[in-house]
Amino acid sequence: MEITQLRYFLKLAERGNFTRAAEDLLITQPALSRSIAKLEAELGQPVFERHARTVELTDSGKLLLARAEQILTLVDDTVAEITDDGRTGRIRLGTIPTIAPYLLPPLLRGFATKCPQSNVIVYEEVTEKLLQRVLHGEIDLAILALPVPKQYLHVETLFEEELRLVLPVDHPLSKKKQIVLDDLQPYSFVLLDETHCLSNDIVSFCRQRSLQPVSVERTSQLATVQELVSLGHGVSLVPAMACNLDDSPRRIYRHLAGTQPTRTVALVSNPYRFESRLVKLFRDFVKSFRYTMRK
């Protein structure tokens, strides 16, 4: 059994499809099929059940999955520790979709200037999947919004971010000097789907103040929320950082008067895993980075 076989096995288990896994691995599908077949021959039993377009783990495959993750984590940590010069190497960074396109470009540009020989690999996923990856050692750090429901993780607060009201430019509230939460009572909300923590933040904030937001549409992309608002499908609350890159004349952003809705952005890691000097340097850089919000 070879390390490469285990990496191929893990990728196929993650993607559930030979074609997609091969594309991620930058190999051909026949090469991946041969590797998995050789692995199964060595083990004496199948680790995947093949279906028309997908594969799923057998009981043996589930056992191998747990062991393969442990083995590769140990191998990767050993290599990182031996070759740890604090300047070269990779950093596996996870972040949620409502942060990645806004915070990461200036953050990664700044770090590339500081450590040009480093390689930051970005994983953009919802909170639950990122926390699982941190726990399993698949990523080094994650930037996400609190709360973090998982135990045994190290959480460092980075900054508090306002959630701003987004309206169509011709909305009745657009002329109002001050908008309070009660003003939104007659209007429907456009929200991200339930897998995104931002929607939970919005609903929780509204309910604590006796407003029950009625969701007319849900989507998986913040940009789609903004476009649906522009088209008059409802109103929404979006992170301030999402306003920074939006110059559309079809929508406007307003601060809510009174107690403003916010989210807390934090850095999450696994304190029980080896952390290279490069990852520590990146951690310090993230903590000292100042992201400028528009007024």
Side-chain angles (χ1 to χ4, degrees):
M1 189 182 303
E2 301 172 357
I3 295 298
T4 299
Q5 286 179 304
L6 293 181
R7 295 195 190 280
Y8 288 2
F9 163 77
L10 286 181
K11 179 56 66 174
L12 181 56
E14 175 192 345
R15 300 294 276 166
N17 175 277
F18 273 95
T19 300
R20 292 194 296 268
E23 289 173 351
D24 287 356
L25 293 166
L26 302 179
I27 61 174
T28 64
Q29 183 177 332
L32 177 59
S33 298
R34 287 193 298 272
S35 177
I36 298 300
K38 181 181 178 182
L39 177 64
E40 291 178 323
E42 291 176 7
L43 294 173
Q45 53 188 308
V47 292
F48 290 106
E49 291 182 4
R50 275 77 165 171
H51 304 293
R53 295 182 180 274
T54 62
V55 297
E56 61 180 305
L57 291 168
T58 63
D59 289 341
S60 298
K62 292 175 183 177
L63 175 61
L64 180 61
L65 179 68
R67 296 292 190 272
E69 288 175 344
Q70 293 172 352
I71 291 167
L72 292 179
T73 294
L74 183 59
V75 169
D76 290 343
D77 283 355
T78 301
V79 172
E81 193 165 357
I82 291 173
T83 61
D84 188 13
D85 61 5
R87 300 185 307 276
T88 60
R90 71 177 184 182
I91 300 161
R92 298 167 300 176
L93 174 67
T95 187
I96 55 178
T98 58
I99 289 178
Y102 316 110
L103 179 64
L104 290 194
L107 177 70
L108 298 184
R109 279 197 302 269
F111 190 72
T113 301
K114 186 179 182 68
C115 293
Q117 293 178 290
S118 64
N119 180 26
V120 181
I121 302 170
V122 175
Y123 298 80
E124 183 180 322
E125 292 179 312
V126 295
T127 299
E128 181 61 29
K129 290 185 178 180
L130 288 181
L131 294 178
Q132 289 295 331
R133 284 185 176 272
V134 174
L135 282 171
H136 295 157
E138 297 172 10
I139 58 177
D140 302 301
L141 301 165
I143 301 175
L144 41 73
L146 298 183
V148 173
K150 298 293 184 183
Q151 295 180 334
Y152 314 117
L153 293 176
H154 182 58
V155 179
E156 299 174 276
T157 298
L158 296 177
F159 57 87
E160 196 85 6
E161 182 187 19
E162 177 193 359
L163 302 181
R164 296 180 186 169
L165 178 66
V166 55
L167 304 164
V169 69
D170 57 353
H171 194 276
L173 292 178
S174 63
K175 306 300 182 184
K176 204 171 186 295
K177 288 186 177 180
Q178 281 196 328
I179 303 175
V180 297
L181 192 62
D182 285 345
D183 293 329
L184 305 182
Q185 189 74 52
Y187 304 106
S188 300
F189 274 69
V190 180
L191 299 173
L192 293 169
D193 62 46
E194 290 91 341
T195 59
H196 292 268
C197 57
L198 179 62
S199 293
N200 295 330
D201 291 341
I202 294 170
V203 172
S204 177
F205 175 81
C206 291
R207 284 177 177 169
Q208 287 171 12
R209 289 151 185 83
S210 302
L211 174 66
Q212 176 62 50
V214 177
S215 175
V216 290
E217 294 184 59
R218 285 185 179 265
T219 178
S220 61
Q221 298 292 328
L222 195 54
T224 306
V225 169
Q226 293 166 300
E227 286 300 319
L228 289 172
V229 168
S230 297
L231 294 171
H233 290 233
V235 302
S236 194
L237 293 168
V238 301
M241 62 175 66
C243 308
N244 284 16
L245 301 180
D246 188 11
D247 294 319
S248 172
R250 298 183 298 123
R251 51 186 172 262
I252 60 172
Y253 297 92
R254 297 286 298 274
H255 304 276
L256 281 179
T259 303
Q260 294 180 337
T262 62
R263 69 173 178 177
T264 302
V265 177
L267 187 65
V268 178
S269 59
N270 187 337
Y272 300 101
R273 294 200 65 245
F274 168 75
E275 188 171 83
S276 70
R277 291 166 58 193
L278 182 64
V279 171
K280 290 177 182 176
L281 184 64
F282 183 76
R283 173 200 295 279
D284 291 340
F285 182 82
V286 172
K287 289 162 60 177
S288 64
F289 183 77
R290 294 293 176 263
Y291 184 79
T292 304
M293 307 287 183
R294 283 182 183 171
K295 298 296 184 183

